[in-house]
Amino acid sequence: MAGPAHVIADDAEALAVAAALADEFRPGARARDAERRLPRAELDRLSVSGLLAVTVPADHGGADVRATTLAEVFRLLAAADGSLAQIPQSHFAYVNVIRRQGTEEQRTFFFAELLAGRRFGNAQSEAGTKHVQDIRTRLTRRPDGSYTLDGVKHYSTGALFADWIPVLARTEDDNLHVAYVPRSAPGVTVVDDWEGMGQRTTASGTVRLADVTVPADRVLPHHLTFQGPQLHGAVAQLLHAAIDAGIAAGALAEAAEFVRTKSRPWFESGAETAVEDPLLVQRFGELALAVRASEALLGEAARTVDAASADLTDDSAAGASIAVAAAKVQAARTAVEVGSALFEVSGTRAALDSLNLHRHWRDARTHTLHDPARWKVQHIGRHVLTGTRPPRHGLL
């Protein structure tokens, strides 16, 4: 990271900084994706800007921005670069673990790290297990109270660029914990082997953990997060929804610019320009409605999360999870639809590989695989029919 990090004062400044960085990152997004050029310089800019510390509580010197603001920060960044915006998503999820489960000493230490511009990655998912919550990475307690950490993680977005890697692991009693491990710790190997068709520059590769020593004060009891009403999953999913909404908005904007400057009208339309073709006008109107609906549901979900945060109960937490689920389903569908419709409205030339307009669809299709929208629809339906609260886990 180049230079000391700025400390953002409030929500308004966070939004202004995010908008400025989005404008800065947008012009290079096409080439970064095409060349799979990892955004190290751009992430350093994010760190120095102070955006990565905006959820640090006020009593520790942070802006403690609302969920509404954080969601808009991610939407702005994703509209500029759908890969780059994905990298800090887990960063904020694991800041929330410290906020909720950290001791005062842990909070003081890590919040100072965040204000200095340090980045969290993640080592969460595992491949080849029974399901996504079958975590086999182990923390084994040593006689001196410290731990040994062993396991292999996949889809470790942000780990390659991180200062700290939060690792999801189970102790001998099978309870879930998060171990915060320095990226440079002995026994930690980060492999840049991500080869996804979309979000190509997230470096979401493999993390190998072999006999890694972890002090006791770097381990937090994540299993306690889900024993009462919680917003951990709602906030994490809100940011995913914001990324989808941003990808959709970015795709729509690029499609409109392409049609304004490069597309020809269909000869049967009788129009002089593509923007006067009534069928194109109609289709752009439909796509704009879908994008606006995604953004509206995203805003409503974020406000519901903020309200639940101010008065956290079983019902308010459930309401937040349902609102976020609705936003995520809508945004995911819209991102994929607009990313695909871009070619429909732009014409044959839009398919040229050299233009790389397909990155929007590839990013959307890849990102929306994070967790199945069909299960979110199930929870929404049950809540409507019987008032059943959604389950407490990190994906809802």
Side-chain angles (χ1 to χ4, degrees), residues 125-132 134-136 152-155:
S125 295
E126 299 178 14
T129 57
K130 185 176 181 181
H131 51 69
V132 71
D134 180 14
I135 302 297
R136 300 183 184 178
V152 179
K153 298 290 189 175
H154 298 81
Y155 312 117

Side-chain angles (χ1 to χ4, degrees), residues 342-392:
L342 186 155
F343 304 99
E344 170 196 336
V345 296
S346 300
T348 307
R349 186 180 174 189
L352 293 177
D353 208 40
S354 58
L355 296 177
N356 199 14
L357 294 177
H358 47 68
R359 74 185 186 281
H360 298 290
W361 181 86
R362 288 187 290 99
D363 284 347
R365 185 63 283 175
T366 301
H367 181 254
T368 55
L369 298 176
H370 265 85
D371 47 274
R374 59 188 176 272
W375 275 98
K376 298 187 186 303
V377 176
Q378 283 279 310
H379 295 309
I380 294 167
R382 277 195 278 276
H383 191 260
V384 169
L385 285 172
T386 64
T388 304
R389 297 189 190 109
R392 292 175 180 150

Side-chain angles (χ1 to χ4, degrees), residues 71 74-75 78-79 82 85-87 89 199 238-248 298 335 367:
F74 271 78
R75 193 194 69 80
Q86 176 60 35
I87 294 171
Q89 188 274 337
Q199 295 197 309
L238 180 72
L239 302 187
H240 281 308
I243 291 167
D244 289 337
I247 291 172
L298 179 69
H367 181 254

Side-chain angles (χ1 to χ4, degrees), residues 60 77 98 128 132 134 147 167 179 194 207 210 280 290 344 353 356 389 391:
H60 285 267
L77 293 175
I98 295 169
V132 71
D134 180 14
Y147 292 88
V167 181
W194 170 242
V207 173
L280 280 183
E344 170 196 336
D353 208 40
N356 199 14
R389 297 189 190 109

Side-chain angles (χ1 to χ4, degrees), residues 145-181:
S146 66
Y147 292 88
T148 299
L149 180 63
D150 293 278
V152 179
K153 298 290 189 175
H154 298 81
Y155 312 117
S156 303
T157 303
L160 191 68
F161 315 109
D163 298 290
W164 293 89
I165 303 177
V167 181
L168 209 56
R170 295 191 186 276
T171 46
E172 282 119 329
D173 57 9
D174 215 36
N175 282 327
L176 202 59
H177 290 69
V178 179
Y180 289 75
V181 179

